[in-house]
Structures are given as structure tokens and as C-alpha cells.
Amino acid sequence: MFKKIAIFGVGLIGGSFALALKKAGAVEQVVGVGRQLETLQRAQELGIIDAIAGSVADAVAGAELILIAAPVAQTGAILASIAPHLQAGTIVTDAGSTKSDVVLAARATLGGKIAQFVPGHPIAGREQNGPEAALAELYVGKKVVLAPLPENGEQDIARVAAAWQQCGALIHRLSPQQHDAVFAAVSHLPHVLAYALVDDIANKPHAASLFQYAASGFRDFTRIAGSSPEMWRDISLANQAALLGELDAYLLQLTRLRGLLAAGDGPALEAVYSNAQQARHSWISAIEAAEQQNKEGGD
Amino acid sequence: MFKKIAIFGVGLIGGSFALALKKAGAVEQVVGVGRQLETLQRAQELGIIDAIAGSVADAVAGAELILIAAPVAQTGAILASIAPHLQAGTIVTDAGSTKSDVVLAARATLGGKIAQFVPGHPIAGREQNGPEAALAELYVGKKVVLAPLPENGEQDIARVAAAWQQCGALIHRLSPQQHDAVFAAVSHLPHVLAYALVDDIANKPHAASLFQYAASGFRDFTRIAGSSPEMWRDISLANQAALLGELDAYLLQLTRLRGLLAAGDGPALEAVYSNAQQARHSWISAIEAAEQQNKEGGD
């Protein structure tokens, strides 16, 4: 049980964390901090937070856990505002989509208090944003990656893990570098590819005619190109090195496929398509088996 | 009303055409032709076809309309088998995903009877295949692109259009070249990109760990990589020239984006993402408005 939790950013991610912990009876008081008073008021009306902090100092004072769930580019500034008020015994964690840059920012701002920061990333989301989109069930059966630092105490890591587990999440551990390499491949690169395709088509002189014939395959393929441009600009830059590596590997792959197509090499093209189809099929089967197990194991 | 329609390939596409026309009371007899007797028997049990043709000659004799709904690479061979039996007054159409190659094959096999072939492409599908997947409602509100030849009579084009309209489809007209250019951009290229990404990830030494963290965005982005490798090998080769053009344009676009990322040019990256997001949003809004209109206009 947490007596007081402070949440910086009471939108979908922070709001769902608060709702889930409240539903589990795992927290007495949730205090919200943010740049827009209106959003905080809305979160309070919705029962997500119990109080709006008058200042960062007030928010941090006496908090056992602080979650930073604001856009990832703001993490450094938020940590800097927290640092002077951070008491021993308070754990800070975050929900950012990138980790190496967050760790850099944390080291620069928290200095000697770095052991109190346990980096994290819940792998969950919805199309909608803001406190209205928050759901107590958002994290049920979802993964939360913790990317602890060598300085973190195991007890503090366990405390953050326990909070997410009370939201229904499954805890995974990766180093910040591993985390960023993994998500560059399976999340950040696909976003760039989808944005690139839609922008490419939208800039053609006959774009309107092209879009007219786009169907459900295109709709699903480009769904992630409907995501926030600001957020993805920040993620792209925050994970620049790993993303460049994945992008280069993909450009090579695509150039190789172009060669097969230009040569009319049907068997080689089919081998690539077939390998992809089988890999995706195995992946989907594994997901479905895990979901089934979660259901059976749950109550 | 059609007295007799012959369908080559009684799976999802051909089977749904038959079911829709039967439901509309627009056909007296549907005869099925195919390579696998078992599939034809299943289609007959399901009420998709009324009879299994003993030979191509039997199927074609007295048919007012012939639909070729087999894999697109078989179109040439099927047309060649039809040609010697094709009577004046019978119209042949197809459902292939590419049109220029189909027209080439039709000219080579039908010769002086080319005016009787009206190329077509219904823009509809499901994950499942085979006669069991066929639905009388598959084409309701969906587009069917007709790509008529200069030799086609307007009356014959209208007869094919009317059949699809009785299935609930909306008729569009493009030249075979326009058709292939459009679908290279909005369908064939996305398939290649999705196959390329999944194959790329599947071939990495740590593929299992990567797939473990892939979430719903990845799932949607790669859904089309679950499609039939044989079918997409054939489509890739059949539409080689247009697909190479789109692939080259995309490689340029991606190389440009790579440059922006390497330079850390946040505003330029955001401009690309934002243009894509807005274009996709407008497209989705237009689709939803059209669907609403279809619903209100329908009975």
C-alpha cells in the first residue's frame, strides 16, 4: 500500500496507472502535477487524482512513488524540477517510450540521487489521449519493461514492479540500451515506415485518386501513421542511434528485395514472403497462447 | 438475369460473386470449374454452384458470363483453355489484382475474340480463403474497378458492371495501366514493405526477443505480411514495372528521412509525420463519410 503517489502527466498513461492502483486498493492518495490546470481539474473530476499539487515541492513532499508520464522530451525538465525536493525514500519512475536518453537526463539532473530513479516503460496504449481516455484495465496482461540502473537497490526495483503488477501488468527487465534496440526494431522503425509511405503518397500529384482506392490492408498498415507527430518526432530523436541502425538494415533489405524483383526472381521473392508469413504466424500463435494462459490464470 | 454463369475458381472471390448474384435472383445456373474436385464439391454442397463442369467446353457452352477468379498467374492458361470454345455473345471477365499482364495474356490467347474480354478487379477480401469463406455480402459497398479495352463494346462493359452492381458493388473505371499504377502504390508496395520488415526481424539472431515486445501497432502494420506468399509473388512479378517505380520512390523518401534523422532535424521530421497524419486523417474521414452515405442510401 502506498500512502502517497505523485503523477506528472495525468493523461492516458498516468491516469490509467492511478485508476488501476485505486481499484486495487493499493494507494491512499494520488496527487497530480501538470502544465495545464484544466487537464488536472478534469482528472480530479474523473476520480483519477485526489488533489492537484500547488507546486512541485508540494507534490514531491512525502510521496513514496513519483511517476513521470508526460511526453518523453519533457522528462529532463521534470526531473530537474523534482531534484531539489527529492527526499530519501522516495522512488521516481517514468513511462517514456525511450530509455537511454531518459537515463542520460536523469544522471544529469539527479546527480547523487540517481539511485532513486528506476526507469520504466509500459507497453500499452490506445488511440485516444488525455484523462478521459484513462482506463483502470489498460495494463491488465500488458508488459511493463523496467530498465534499472546499476545504482538502483533491488528493493526499490521490486517496489516499482509491485505497483505495476497491482495494475495487472507483467514485468520484464531489459537494460536501457537493450530496451532502445528492441523498440527501435519493433515499434519506432514501423512508425517511420508508415509515416514515410503516407507522406510519399500524399505528396504525389494524383494523391486523391490513389487514396480513393486504398483499402483495409492500407488502413491497418498505416494506422500508426495516425499517431502524434510531436510524440514521434521526440521518440525518433531520443532513440536516434538505434533507429538509424534499424533504418539502415531495412534500407539494405529493401534494396535486396528490389534486386530480386528487378531480376524477376520469383522463387527468391517467394522465399522472403514465405519466411515473413511463417514468422508472423508463429508470433501471432504465441501471443494468442499467452493471452489464453492469462485468461485461465486470472480471476 | 443471367441464364448461365461459369466461374473458374470457386473460392472466396468467385464464390462470393455466385452467392451474391443468387441472393439477388440475378442468375439461374452457376457452373463451377477448377483444378481441385474437392473444392468444387464443397462449393456445390454450400450452394455456391449448381453444377460442376465436366470440361471447359461444357462450362463455356451457353454461358452468358464467365468469371475467372483463380490465382492471377493462372489467368493465361485458363483463357487459353476457354478460347477454342468461346462463342459469340459470351462475355469473359476476371478478378485479378493486376491488369496489364492479364490484358497481355488475353490478347495472346483470345486473338480475334479479345473484344469479349472485359478486365476487372473487385477491391474486397477477407483473411480466409476457399469456398467456406465466401459471403453473399462480400462486395456490398466495395469498389470494383473495370479496366476495359478499346475493343470492348459499351454494352458488354455495362453487362459486367450490372452483375457487380447486383452484388452491391460500386463500379469504377480505370485503364489497365492506371489500375496497375494505383495498386502498386496503395496495395502492392505496402505488402512488400510489410513482408520486408517481418523477414528482416525474423532473420536477426535475437528475433525471438524482438517479437516478444512487438505490440498492437506492429500487429496491424504487418497484418498484410500474413497474406499468401505465392499470390504476392505472382502479383509482384505481374506488376513488376509499376511496383519497381513505387519502390524506388519509397527508397528515395526513406533515404531522405534517414538524412533528417541523422541530422537531428526535429522540425523537418515533424513536418513529414504531420503531413502523413493529416493526410491519413482526411482519408479516414472521407471513407467514414462515404460509408455513412452508403448506409443511408441503402435499403
Side-chain angles (χ1 to χ4, degrees), chain B residues 241-264:
Chain B
L243 182 53
L244 277 174
E246 290 302 324
L247 197 48
D248 285 342
Y250 188 78
L251 278 164
L252 262 179
Q253 159 84 338
L254 215 51
T255 304
R256 190 174 69 89
L257 266 182
R258 192 219 177 273
L260 299 180
L261 181 61

Side-chain angles (χ1 to χ4, degrees), chain A residues 123 125 143 145 172-174 181-183 185-187 189-204 206 209-230 232-233 236-237 240 243-244 246-251 253-258 260-267 269-280 283-284 287-288 291, chain B residues 123 125 143 145 172-174 181-183 185-187 189-204 206 209-230 232-233 236-237 240 243-244 246-251 253-258 260-267 269-280 283-284 287-288 291:
Chain A
I123 317 303
K143 296 183 181 71
V145 178
H172 288 242
R173 273 172 81 155
L174 294 172
V182 164
F183 288 92
V186 300
S187 169
L189 177 63
H191 277 80
V192 171
L193 300 182
Y195 279 130
L197 181 72
V198 181
D199 179 67
D200 191 30
I201 291 180
N203 288 340
K204 288 180 197 267
H206 55 308
S209 152
L210 293 175
F211 278 121
Q212 194 184 354
Y213 294 104
S216 65
F218 185 86
R219 192 180 203 156
D220 284 353
F221 183 85
T222 60
R223 183 175 69 76
I224 49 183
S227 311
S228 155
E230 299 78 15
W232 284 93
R233 172 203 63 198
S236 301
L237 295 175
Q240 189 191 34
L243 183 52
L244 277 175
E246 289 303 324
L247 198 47
D248 286 342
Y250 188 78
L251 279 164
Q253 160 84 338
L254 216 50
T255 304
R256 190 173 69 90
L257 266 182
R258 193 219 177 273
L260 299 180
L261 182 60
D265 189 342
L269 279 179
E270 188 183 345
V272 171
Y273 296 175
S274 187
N275 186 45
Q277 188 211 31
Q278 283 166 29
R280 188 175 188 281
W283 171 63
I284 293 282
I287 290 179
E288 284 170 357
E291 279 171 359
Chain B
I123 317 304
K143 295 184 181 71
V145 178
H172 287 244
R173 273 171 82 154
L174 294 172
V182 163
F183 288 92
V186 301
S187 169
L189 177 64
H191 276 80
V192 172
L193 300 181
Y195 279 129
L197 181 71
V198 181
D199 179 66
D200 191 30
I201 291 180
N203 289 340
K204 288 181 198 267
H206 55 307
S209 152
L210 293 175
F211 279 121
Q212 195 183 353
Y213 295 104
S216 66
F218 186 85
R219 192 181 203 153
D220 285 353
F221 182 85
T222 61
R223 183 175 69 77
I224 50 182
S227 312
S228 156
E230 299 78 16
W232 282 93
R233 173 202 63 197
S236 301
L237 295 176
Q240 189 191 35
L243 182 53
L244 277 174
E246 290 302 324
L247 197 48
D248 285 342
Y250 188 78
L251 278 164
Q253 159 84 338
L254 215 51
T255 304
R256 190 174 69 89
L257 266 182
R258 192 219 177 273
L260 299 180
L261 181 61
D265 189 341
L269 278 180
E270 187 183 346
V272 171
Y273 296 176
S274 187
N275 185 47
Q277 188 212 30
Q278 283 166 30
R280 189 175 187 280
W283 172 62
I284 292 282
I287 289 179
E288 284 170 356
E291 278 171 0

Side-chain angles (χ1 to χ4, degrees), chain A residues 20-88:
Chain A
L21 288 178
K22 288 186 163 208
K23 198 180 167 192
V27 62
E28 264 176 38
Q29 195 199 18
V30 178
V31 174
V33 193
R35 292 190 299 182
Q36 292 181 304
L37 185 61
E38 212 182 312
T39 305
L40 291 164
Q41 284 169 339
R42 191 83 195 96
Q44 193 166 15
E45 283 163 23
L46 290 164
I48 293 172
I49 58 174
D50 303 296
I52 299 171
S55 68
V56 172
D58 284 352
V60 171
E64 294 160 272
L65 182 67
I66 297 171
L67 172 70
I68 302 173
V72 76
Q74 294 173 31
T75 310
I78 292 172
L79 284 167
S81 75
I82 291 171
H85 313 290
L86 189 60
Q87 298 154 320

